[in-house]
Structures are given as C-alpha cells and as structure tokens.
Amino acid sequence: MKLNDNKYRLIYMEFINNQKARCKSIILCVCILSLTDATSFDDMDTLYKTLTSGHNKYLRPEVDLSSSTVISIDFYIINLQEVNEVDGTVSITGYFDIQWTDNNMSWTPADHGNAEYIVLPEDVIWKPPLINSNSAQEMTMFGMDDLSLYVRYNGQVTWLPGQNLKFSCSFDITYFPFDTQKCTLIIITWGHDSQDIIFNSLNSTLQTSLYSTNSEWDLSKTSVTVSTTGTPMANFTFYFKRRSLFLTITLILPCVFLVLLNIGVFLLPTDSGERIGFAVTLLLAVVLYLTIAQELLPATALPRLSAICIFLMIDFMMSGLIVGSVIVSSRFYFKSEDEPIPNWMKKIVTFQLCCRAKNRVHDGQSTGTGRHEEKGEVLFRNEKVNDSHGNEKEITWQDVSKTFDYISLIFYMMMFIGTNLMFIIDVVQGTS
C-alpha cells in the first residue's frame, strides 16, 4: 500500500511540473510578442525628427496649394458662466474639436516600430489661425503654449484648444423674465478665404455631453452652421431659456400685491389720518421694484420696450394717481360745511346712494320693494340722504368724500385687473 501511494505521489508531482512549464512558455511567448509590437523611445525620437526637420509650419499642408484645406470643427460646451443682458455679453467655457489632414505628417508605421500616432507640440506644425470674431474682449488666436496635437500615421491631425470665451450678443428682453435668448459664437479663419480653407462640421448641434446645468438659464437648443463663401466662418448658436420662477416670485408678485394693497387705501376711514402716509409708502415701494428691474435690464427699447417695464410703469402711475385721489378725497372730507356743494356733485352722490339703496332692496324682502324704490326716487329729486336712524338730511362734504372713495375703488380695481390681463396676454402670445 505504501508503494502505491508513493507511485501516485510521483505521478501527481510530474503533472504539476508539466503545467508550470507550460504556463512559463505561454508567458514567455506573450512577452516576446509584446516586445516585438512595442514602439521604443528611439523609434519615436526618429519619427519626431523626421516629421519636424525641414518642415515649414507657415505653409498650408497641401501638395497643391491651389487646393483648399478642409477643416472639421465642433464645439464641446462645458459650462455657462454668465449671461449679462446689461453689457450684452455671454461667457462660456468649452473646447473645440478641430481636425484636418496634413500631407507632410504621414508615415508608414512599419518603418517606425509600428507607431500609429504621435503627440506633437502645437508650435512645430501648421495649424489654422482661428479667432472669435464677435469677441467681447481682446481678440487673440486660439491655442496655448503647452497645448499638443494628436497626429496619426495617415496625416490626420486633431487639435483640442480649450477656451474661456466671452462674446457679444443682441438680447431681446421684450418678454423678460419669460424670455429665450439666441446667441451665436462666430469663429473665422484669420488671413484666409474660402479658396484656402473650407469649414466642415459633422454635427448639426453642439456637443453637450460635458455641459454643467446653469441655475439661471436652461440651454434649450443648439445649432451649428458653416459658411463656405467669402471668409470661412463657423456659427455656433445657443438658445438660452431663462428660469423665470425666481424673478416671478421676487419681482412680479410683490408689485402686484403692492398695487392691490394701494387700492385698498380707499377702504380705510378718512378720520384715521393714515391714508396718505399708507399710499405714499406703497408708492415708494413700487419705485424701489422699478429701480431693481432697471438694473437687471439693458437701457434699450429695441425691438420694443420690455413688457415688465411697461407693467411696472403703469403700476407706478396708478400708485401715483391713487396718492392724488386720496389727497383729493381728504380735501373733500375736511371742507367746511359752510362751503356750498356744486349741484353736479350732489347729483352724483345722490345717484350713487340710490343705486346702493336699490341693491339693498333687491337683496331684502320683496314686500318693501315699492316703498324703497319710491323713497329712492324722492332722494334723487330732493338730493337728500338718510342718516343711520333713517332720517333725511342734507348732503355733506363727507358724503362727497365717501362717494369719491367708492368710485375711485371701482375705477382703480378695474384698471388693475385690465393691466394684469394685458401683461399676461402679451407674454403668453409672445412666448408661445
């Protein structure tokens, strides 16, 4: 039994040794193949010297310079820094994906250690001179000193210049803060026309895979167009839609409630002596919000004055008229009883009181209708009113003041409703 165990042990050990030898052989083959396909430093150094020596980087990379160099250009937007309506500028961060074929940068991989690409500094070979033609800051050529270019063996060059771009934009603030702004970034080649360089874009929209959401603006749509006539031009168009909830809550709704409160001043008793102070305070609050809106908007009326400016100006004028009406009402209320009341005022007061009396009749029991209507007609003819005890008395200046308050309340309420409806309809029609 012991002999058989030793025999099996020897067979097992021999099997294990064979497996180890086989694994070593496989690893050795893989290493030999890897070393065979790898590109050495000397190969890359030789390739670099071959490509850059005697190369004129100031000439377009065409064998026949009468042919145009086709440049493919795309833009990757990373974030939106600022949209400044007052200055008329947009600031963004992103990078361009620019590709072209350089016939002087091609080689056979087998002659250089199977190297299929090389990374070169951007200042050793030709690259297109690109600028932002509608820049809002100093105009400079694209590129940085430490930037590199990716070159493949077939001569295809890839350039990825990153930029902080600030460009001008014509804003339409007609429907602020429910507006959508269309801004275009214009890229042109400096010193070349369409006979030398032709722009091409493989995508009809910007690349937004790296875009970080902005808290104030929503990037709703983008587009890319190129011009092949005259100066080569690539237009990258952004559609920024404002997130309006914040400004609606902090700007529009407070103005609406302020004017509504200002109209309510006619419900306060004149004897309280606080009506004029209350109305003036609300007027100053409306002026404050008007100033805030002016700081947010550019000083322009093109293509038309902003709807929010019209809305706030109407609110301001309405608040001013309310202050004036309160002053007039107080003037009536505290007039001397010795001063006669004009007949046309008496007729207006009597008519208003008759209308209110008829409304009370319709709301009351039907049995007393005829008596009240007859009493109302007598009031209108005799220009007298009933006091709290039902006794007739002459119309006083206090009655004139109360009637004036009643008419003013109805007038300004109708004006308030009409102004808000006009603003809402204008914005809905303009943004739909």
Side-chain angles (χ1 to χ4, degrees):
M1 292 296 293
K2 292 182 179 180
L3 292 175
N4 291 335
D5 292 338
N6 292 332
K7 181 178 179 180
Y8 290 144
R9 187 179 294 112
L10 291 174
I11 293 174
Y12 176 75
M13 295 299 295
E14 183 178 0
F15 174 77
I16 294 298
N17 291 332
N18 290 336
Q19 292 295 323
K20 290 182 178 179
R22 184 174 302 174
C23 290
K24 291 180 180 178
S25 299
I26 293 173
I27 294 173
L28 181 62
C29 290
V30 171
C31 292
I32 293 173
L33 290 174
S34 301
L35 292 174
T36 302
D37 292 338
T39 303
S40 67
F41 174 82
D42 292 336
D43 291 330
M44 297 301 292
D45 183 57
T46 302
L47 177 59
Y48 177 86
K49 293 178 180 178
T50 301
L51 294 176
T52 58
S53 60
H55 174 69
N56 193 336
K57 65 178 182 180
Y58 300 105
L59 296 179
R60 284 190 303 111
E62 299 292 337
V63 177
D64 183 5
L65 290 179
S66 61
S67 301
S68 301
T69 302
V70 179
I71 297 178
S72 174
I73 181 169
D74 287 299
F75 183 69
Y76 288 76
I77 181 172
I78 297 177
N79 64 61
L80 171 64
Q81 297 179 5
E82 182 185 21
V83 176
N84 193 324
E85 300 98 322
V86 178
D87 295 336
T89 59
V90 176
S91 300
I92 60 174
T93 300
Y95 70 91
F96 293 90
D97 185 352
I98 304 171
Q99 299 181 11
W100 68 92
T101 300
D102 191 332
N103 295 316
N104 300 318
M105 294 290 115
S106 60
W107 69 90
T108 303
D111 297 338
H112 298 278
N114 293 324
E116 295 186 351
Y117 71 91
I118 188 172
V119 178
L120 299 176
E122 69 167 19
D123 60 347
V124 299
I125 65 174
W126 181 89
K127 63 181 185 297
L130 304 179
I131 63 171
N132 174 205
S133 64
N134 62 336
S135 175
Q137 51 193 359
E138 184 180 356
M139 297 178 65
T140 57
M141 296 292 179
F142 285 3
M144 296 178 289
D145 295 338
D146 299 329
L147 202 61
S148 300
L149 290 84
Y150 182 90
V151 184
R152 289 187 58 83
Y153 69 92
N154 58 358
Q156 184 183 29
V157 183
T158 301
W159 185 29
L160 305 173
Q163 297 289 136
N164 287 320
L165 298 165
K166 184 177 182 181
F167 57 95
S168 59
C169 178
S170 179
F171 292 100
D172 182 2
I173 45 86
T174 301
Y175 302 107
F176 173 91
F178 307 98
D179 51 332
T180 299
Q181 302 298 337
K182 175 184 176 182
C183 298
T184 301
L185 171 66
I186 304 175
I187 306 300
I188 65 172
T189 58
W190 192 259
H192 293 278
D193 58 17
S194 57
Q195 295 180 350
D196 299 330
I197 293 177
I198 296 177
F199 274 139
N200 180 34
S201 180
L202 301 178
N203 300 291
S204 60
T205 60
L206 277 77
Q207 306 303 308
T208 59
S209 57
L210 303 176
Y211 178 69
S212 300
T213 303
N214 186 271
S215 60
E216 185 178 357
W217 296 90
D218 176 34
L219 183 59
S220 59
K221 187 171 63 171
T222 63
S223 65
V224 180
T225 58
V226 296
S227 174
T228 58
T229 60
T231 301
M233 182 183 302
N235 299 316
F236 300 93
T237 303
F238 307 83
Y239 292 84
F240 298 114
K241 184 177 182 181
R242 191 190 304 272
R243 304 181 192 275
S244 59
L245 180 60
F246 175 77
L247 289 174
T248 300
I249 295 175
T250 59
L251 180 62
I252 297 178
L253 290 182
C255 292
V256 172
F257 287 121
L258 283 174
V259 176
L260 191 59
L261 284 174
N262 213 348
I263 295 174
V265 73
F266 296 106
L267 299 176
L268 294 176
T270 308
D271 292 333
S272 64
E274 300 294 334
R275 296 191 349 148
I276 296 179
F278 180 76
V280 171
T281 301
L282 293 177
L283 172 63
L284 295 177
V286 173
V287 172
L288 174 63
Y289 278 97
L290 182 60
T291 304
I292 294 174
Q294 289 176 346
E295 292 177 353
L296 296 174
L297 300 176
T300 179
L302 295 176
R304 49 159 276 194
L305 193 62
S306 173
I308 188 67
C309 286
I310 298 174
F311 173 74
L312 292 176
M313 284 302 300
I314 293 176
D315 285 350
F316 169 72
M317 291 187 293
M318 190 186 307
S319 298
L321 291 174
I322 289 173
V323 172
S325 299
V326 170
I327 294 174
V328 173
S329 176
S330 299
R331 174 69 175 171
F332 287 155
Y333 190 86
F334 292 105
K335 268 194 173 185
S336 174
E337 296 297 335
D338 297 333
E339 188 173 346
I341 302 174
N343 291 330
W344 63 271
M345 285 188 179
K346 291 182 178 180
K347 292 181 179 180
I348 293 175
V349 173
T350 306
F351 178 77
Q352 185 261 339
L353 293 174
C354 288
C355 293
R356 295 177 67 179
K358 289 182 179 180
N359 290 334
R360 287 196 297 268
V361 169
H362 290 299
D363 294 337
Q365 296 180 356
S366 59
T367 55
T369 301
R371 194 179 308 114
H372 280 282
E373 286 181 352
E374 181 181 355
K375 192 172 186 179
E377 293 176 358
V378 172
L379 283 172
F380 185 74
R381 288 195 301 266
N382 296 334
E383 297 176 350
K384 294 181 179 180
V385 295
N386 292 333
D387 58 13
S388 58
H389 303 287
N391 301 320
E392 291 186 355
K393 68 170 186 175
E394 294 291 336
I395 295 176
T396 63
W397 283 109
Q398 285 77 10
D399 298 322
V400 173
S401 176
K402 293 177 181 179
T403 301
F404 183 81
D405 287 344
Y406 180 77
I407 295 174
S408 298
L409 177 66
I410 296 176
F411 172 76
Y412 288 115
M413 184 60 69
M414 292 177 62
M415 187 176 177
F416 170 78
I417 295 173
T419 300
N420 285 272
L421 286 177
M422 288 173 57
F423 174 73
I424 294 173
I425 293 172
D426 186 24
V427 170
V428 170
Q429 288 181 347
T431 57
S432 60

